[in-house]
Amino acid sequence: MALVVICGQPCSGKSTAAKCLAEALNDSECKQTVRIIDEGSFHLDRNQSYANMPAEKNLRGVLRSEVDRSVSKDNIIIVDSLNNIKGYRYELWCLARAAGIRYCVVYCDVEDMQCRKWNEERREKGEAAYNDVIFEDLVRRFENPDRRNRWDSPLFELRPQIDGVEKSCIAITDSVSYLTKKVDSKSRDVKVLQPTIATQNTRFSDANSLYEMDKATQEVINVIVEAQSQAIGGPLASISIDQGLPSIDISRPVGLPELRRLRRTFIKLTGQTSLSGRPPPSDADSAKRMFVDYLNRELGTI
């Protein structure tokens, strides 16, 4: 029925807001199941998950895949995470649109200094806290939501530093009203997203296919780049990707820009093919095999 994205700086009260919203929804006349998806659901350590860009990308992929599996017209999903990148919030919005459900963003607006204080208090109490380097990096990279963007709208703003976080907060009550209000022909203030051909094209039959495809093709690219680097400009008879998979025979140096272009084209073509033919691969080995075959064809070696 709905997807709610909680966003805010680290240690800004997001988890408290998510719990209050879930409780308020359960106390209302809402008949849908309310579920919170967060890092804790997967026993992920916050410092390890944001230690570097690959780890952070993996975290977002795990959460996105779980959201994709869970969204439906029979439940309300609350995503409790930083959700600090506007491009990632757009991806979540696309999942809601593909599912044909409501969508909103709840923003915990807290000053950086107060977030630092709360993070330090957690550390002193022995609770889960960010180390200083990761905390400052996340604060620096946070992209504030803007209600003018469709993926940040409607936007409900909480101010935990000033008002605290309670079920009676205006932002909580307003969001509950928005999520539970009955929609009819006269409703103008509640928007149920409608799936389009564009969103249906990117929504694979298996919820995890897109993530597996992206990860597998990137691994192939990394192996090719590393092999060419070790060859130091010399000829490469073949590049072995993995045991049981075909090798890639490259007769000329292939730069990273060209490899990236081929990868983007392959992913796009695979998504389009899935509409009328067989579904795209949902496991890494199948995705790698298809991508290797595609590269060999495009590079003219088979």
Side-chain angles (χ1 to χ4, degrees):
M1 177 186 173
L3 175 62
V4 182
V5 175
I6 309 287
C7 77
Q9 294 282 18
C11 295
S12 58
K14 297 182 298 299
S15 294
T16 302
K19 292 177 181 177
C20 284
L21 177 58
E23 291 175 2
L25 285 168
N26 287 325
D27 292 343
S28 69
E29 298 180 356
C30 172
K31 298 180 181 180
Q32 283 71 27
T33 301
V34 180
R35 181 190 171 197
I36 297 175
I37 295 177
D38 58 8
E39 289 96 332
S41 304
F42 304 94
H43 308 288
L44 298 173
D45 178 81
R46 61 180 62 189
N47 285 311
Q48 292 179 358
S49 298
Y50 293 101
N52 49 59
M53 293 309 296
E56 186 174 334
K57 182 179 179 181
N58 180 69
L59 168 65
R60 289 199 294 267
V62 169
L63 293 175
R64 182 178 58 241
S65 295
E66 186 62 24
V67 171
D68 200 6
R69 279 191 290 267
S70 304
V71 289
S72 73
K73 296 183 179 180
D74 299 321
N75 57 28
I76 297 177
I77 299 298
I78 302 174
V79 187
D80 173 22
S81 186
L82 290 178
N83 298 315
N84 55 336
I85 307 298
K86 61 183 179 182
Y88 182 61
R89 294 196 295 271
Y90 172 73
E91 292 178 13
L92 296 176
W93 177 84
C94 286
L95 295 181
R97 183 171 65 169
I101 59 178
R102 303 183 197 189
Y103 173 92
C104 71
V105 174
V106 176
Y107 172 40
C108 293
D109 187 6
V110 180
E111 293 181 359
D112 299 351
M113 188 63 68
Q114 184 62 49
C115 292
R116 291 188 185 91
K117 180 180 178 181
W118 284 342
N119 187 57
E120 183 61 32
E121 290 176 353
R122 290 184 184 181
R123 185 183 298 127
E124 293 174 353
K125 294 178 182 178
E127 300 175 353
Y130 296 92
N131 70 48
D132 292 337
V133 174
I134 291 177
F135 180 89
E136 295 301 330
D137 178 60
L138 293 174
V139 168
R140 177 181 58 82
R141 292 191 291 112
F142 183 78
E143 297 176 344
N144 290 333
D146 184 343
R147 65 180 71 253
R148 292 174 297 182
N149 297 327
R150 52 187 173 175
W151 55 86
D152 289 333
S153 178
L155 178 65
F156 301 99
E157 298 185 50
L158 273 170
R159 301 185 182 277
Q161 181 180 358
I162 300 175
D163 305 321
V165 181
E166 303 289 342
K167 290 189 291 185
S168 58
C169 289
I170 295 178
I172 297 292
T173 56
D174 285 351
S175 58
V176 170
S177 175
Y178 177 82
L179 294 168
T180 58
K181 186 174 182 179
K182 186 177 180 180
V183 178
D184 53 35
S185 58
K186 298 181 180 180
S187 300
R188 295 184 179 275
D189 56 343
V190 176
K191 183 176 182 180
V192 178
L193 301 179
Q194 299 299 322
T196 65
I197 294 178
T199 56
Q200 289 172 343
N201 284 358
T202 59
R203 189 180 178 85
F204 291 151
S205 57
D206 184 273
N208 203 37
S209 292
L210 180 58
Y211 174 63
E212 290 295 342
M213 176 74 71
D214 182 81
K215 182 180 178 182
T217 53
Q218 185 59 56
E219 288 178 0
V220 172
I221 295 296
N222 292 341
V223 171
I224 296 174
V225 171
E226 179 64 21
Q228 292 187 118
S229 175
Q230 292 179 0
I232 317 179
L236 283 171
S238 65
I239 299 177
S240 177
I241 301 299
D242 207 346
Q243 185 176 4
L245 296 177
S247 61
I248 300 178
D249 298 317
I250 298 179
S251 57
R252 60 177 177 82
V254 183
L256 184 57
E258 182 177 359
L259 290 172
R260 285 175 173 169
R261 177 182 59 79
L262 290 168
R263 176 173 175 264
R264 288 195 300 268
T265 303
F266 170 75
I267 292 176
K268 182 178 180 180
L269 290 174
T270 304
Q272 292 174 346
T273 302
S274 67
L275 294 177
S276 57
R278 63 179 182 177
S282 58
D283 64 278
D285 284 345
S286 297
K288 288 180 182 178
R289 186 182 302 278
M290 288 181 62
F291 187 43
V292 168
D293 290 342
Y294 172 79
L295 288 177
N296 281 330
R297 287 196 302 271
E298 291 299 310
L299 297 174
T301 60
I302 63 172

